[in-house]
Amino acid sequence: MKTKTQKTEMTTLVECMAKLIEEGYTENFLIKGNFLVAENRNKYTPEQVRIVNFYRFEGESDPADNCILYAIETSDKKKGAISDAYGPYSDSKITAFITQVEEISKKEHEVQN
């Protein structure tokens, strides 16, 4: 498994999710319309979301098994995760939202430098 910021011994999605839960990432986020939605129905815009890390998993024989897990923190400090397939099987709503979050993050980083 490859991560954005660290190497790890977690090799499955289930192991990675269990580790994130241990670290306090307990919200199960989903995308509804243009919002990231928490279990308590709080809605977040891309500006209110930060991707802390992401983990990619590649299926050994089936491209449909490729997925990515995002560790997310919101502006009100909710921590959780959302997963998606990647490549041709990705969910267009999740991909569009995550792309917006990444673009905002890049712009903020450019302003700071």
Side-chain angles (χ1 to χ4, degrees):
M1 175 182 69
K2 299 175 186 175
T3 70
K4 178 177 163 185
T5 59
Q6 65 189 30
K7 289 186 178 182
T8 182
E9 297 299 319
M10 295 176 288
T11 58
T12 68
L13 179 61
V14 172
E15 290 172 333
C16 188
M17 290 176 71
K19 180 67 174 166
L20 287 175
I21 289 169
E22 284 177 19
E23 294 174 1
Y25 292 85
T26 57
E27 289 286 335
N28 292 311
F29 293 116
L30 54 96
I31 302 296
K32 284 193 178 178
N34 295 324
F35 297 96
L36 179 79
V37 180
E39 292 172 327
N40 65 3
R41 299 191 181 148
N42 284 359
K43 293 181 179 180
Y44 303 95
T45 65
E47 294 82 10
Q48 296 173 301
V49 173
R50 182 173 70 96
I51 299 169
V52 177
N53 212 336
F54 66 89
Y55 308 87
R56 289 184 186 237
F57 300 89
E58 297 179 5
E60 292 184 27
S61 61
D62 185 356
D65 290 340
N66 294 343
C67 70
I68 187 165
L69 178 67
Y70 297 95
I72 292 175
E73 186 173 334
T74 63
S75 57
D76 62 354
K77 305 299 182 200
K78 296 284 185 205
K79 292 168 60 173
I82 190 168
S83 64
D84 191 13
Y86 64 91
Y89 301 101
S90 65
D91 181 313
S92 61
K93 290 178 185 176
I94 294 174
T95 300
F97 188 89
I98 293 296
T99 299
Q100 289 177 8
V101 172
E102 291 172 336
E103 290 299 319
I104 290 165
S105 179
K106 286 177 190 175
K107 287 178 185 175
E108 289 174 353
H109 187 302
E110 289 172 2
V111 169
Q112 291 175 359
N113 291 330

